[in-house]
Amino acid sequence: MPHRMLLLGGTTEATELARALAKDRRIELIVSLAGRTLRPVLATGQLRTGGFGGADGLARYLTDKAIALVIDATHPFAAVMPFNAAAACLRVGVPLLKICRPAWVPTEGDRWTSVSDLHEAAASLVASDARRVLLTTGRQELEPFRGLRGITFFVRSIEPPNLRGFEAATAVLARGPFDLNAERALLSGHEIDVLVSKNSGGAATAAKLEAARELGIEVVMVQRPAMPEVPLVDNVADAQRWISARLMDRSAK
Ligand code: NAP
């Protein structure tokens, strides 16, 4: 009998891990997405969509579906789900692993201002003399920027953002990965003077930082939210090793 595994997704790591496990006969994989993206990149495995109803709902789901392992591969900025997963898994005694890619760190030539959240990012734009800002924080993260005056925003997102309330804003619809040439062209073409980014880490969206460094553009970098203290790896290969070890533990029992 294969072991049923729940993979909390929404990231490239989740898609990669699902692909890597597709032919693993020891595992029956269920991939869970929040359902925010209308046309998500589909992973292999059974797909379920939508919230569980908090930690209680997830605990019930784990028990009902006889889940043997949970991998939390949600985004580094998913601030709620990791705590729900930690609480639910602890309560029902299911092993949990979190995959979280390393954060980006500034290198020579970078002009970063680190802020702790999006409100601080918006305040930092007001305090600086930013005029033309590329926002890459996602279409669901626009509230703190909506009322700002005197700034033209370029809002990059996968799906069309709601730009109501912005004095001047243009949508830039695109899905990563993004390459350096395209990022250079975007930043210089729109004469961007400040880039706002969450410190998501990873290769798929890192080119904007390299382009900003080359062009001397300031970056307002939003730091990550807190994470629960659970077993953690920063890449898919280590997650596979952890899964194999847990499956061997189970088989030995
Ligand atoms: P969040 O604040 O941690 O989660 C909010 C609620 O959404 C959770 O309480 C849960 O609802 C539901 N949820 C989140 N991830 C889920 C999943 N994989 N499967 C089922 N339900 C899920 O997360 P978020 O920031 O809204 O992000 C939502 C999803 O988008 C996550 O899967 C994340 O990996 C992905 N994502 C987020 C970002 C970002 O910057 N935040 C960027 C790229 C991708 P219930 O409490 O009802 O279970």
Side-chain angles (χ1 to χ4, degrees):
M1 270 275 283
H3 303 279
R4 204 172 276 161
M5 193 180 105
L6 177 66
L7 173 59
L8 302 170
T11 55
T12 48
E13 287 79 4
T15 310
E16 232 180 86
L17 181 61
R19 284 204 186 112
L21 297 177
K23 293 200 179 96
D24 192 327
R25 291 165 167 271
R26 300 170 301 171
I27 295 167
E28 182 190 330
L29 182 65
I30 302 175
V31 179
S32 176
L33 296 178
R36 304 276 198 284
T37 305
L38 298 177
R39 283 173 288 108
V41 177
L42 286 181
T44 36
Q46 298 168 47
L47 179 68
R48 70 159 300 287
T49 309
F52 296 92
D56 292 347
L58 180 56
R60 267 194 306 278
Y61 180 90
L62 298 178
T63 307
D64 292 350
K65 298 278 180 193
I67 302 291
L69 295 178
V70 177
I71 306 294
D72 173 5
T74 56
H75 192 268
F77 277 82
V80 177
M81 195 69 214
F83 286 95
N84 288 354
C89 286
L90 183 66
R91 196 176 315 159
V92 300
V94 173
L96 166 69
L97 178 73
K98 170 125 194 79
I99 306 181
C100 191
R101 63 181 91 131
W104 292 314
V105 287
T107 62
E108 204 182 325
D110 277 326
R111 297 176 57 212
W112 288 15
T113 302
S114 273
V115 295
S116 54
D117 57 29
L118 293 160
H119 293 280
E120 220 179 275
S124 140
L125 293 180
V126 172
S128 72
D129 56 0
R131 288 287 167 268
R132 297 173 69 81
V133 172
L134 177 63
L135 273 187
T136 61
T137 47
R139 76 187 162 98
Q140 273 138 7
E141 316 269 22
L142 299 179
E143 267 342 288
F145 305 98
R146 225 178 265 285
L148 303 189
R149 301 284 160 234
I151 299 176
T152 300
F153 284 97
F154 297 86
V155 179
R156 179 154 75 187
S157 58
I158 297 174
E159 276 143 24
N162 171 3
L163 298 180
R164 225 174 307 140
F166 277 94
E167 189 179 64
T170 304
V172 180
L173 298 185
R175 188 199 286 262
F178 301 107
D179 71 35
L180 182 57
N181 283 336
E183 296 296 59
R184 260 192 218 118
L186 178 69
L187 291 174
S188 40
H190 291 306
E191 298 175 54
I192 299 298
D193 52 19
V194 181
L195 163 69
V196 182
S197 172
K198 295 195 278 195
N199 195 334
S200 299
T205 58
K208 63 187 172 188
L209 302 176
E210 200 176 333
R213 186 183 312 132
E214 280 182 16
L215 297 166
I217 291 172
E218 189 190 332
V219 176
V220 174
M221 185 63 80
V222 183
Q223 297 310 313
R224 295 174 169 193
M227 281 291 135
E229 290 196 11
V230 297
L232 177 74
V233 293
D234 69 7
N235 64 81
V236 169
D238 283 349
Q240 284 179 270
R241 277 188 276 279
W242 183 91
I243 292 164
S244 287
R246 295 292 83 68
L247 293 182
M248 279 167 68
D249 289 350
R250 282 179 68 87
S251 305
K253 278 180 189 162

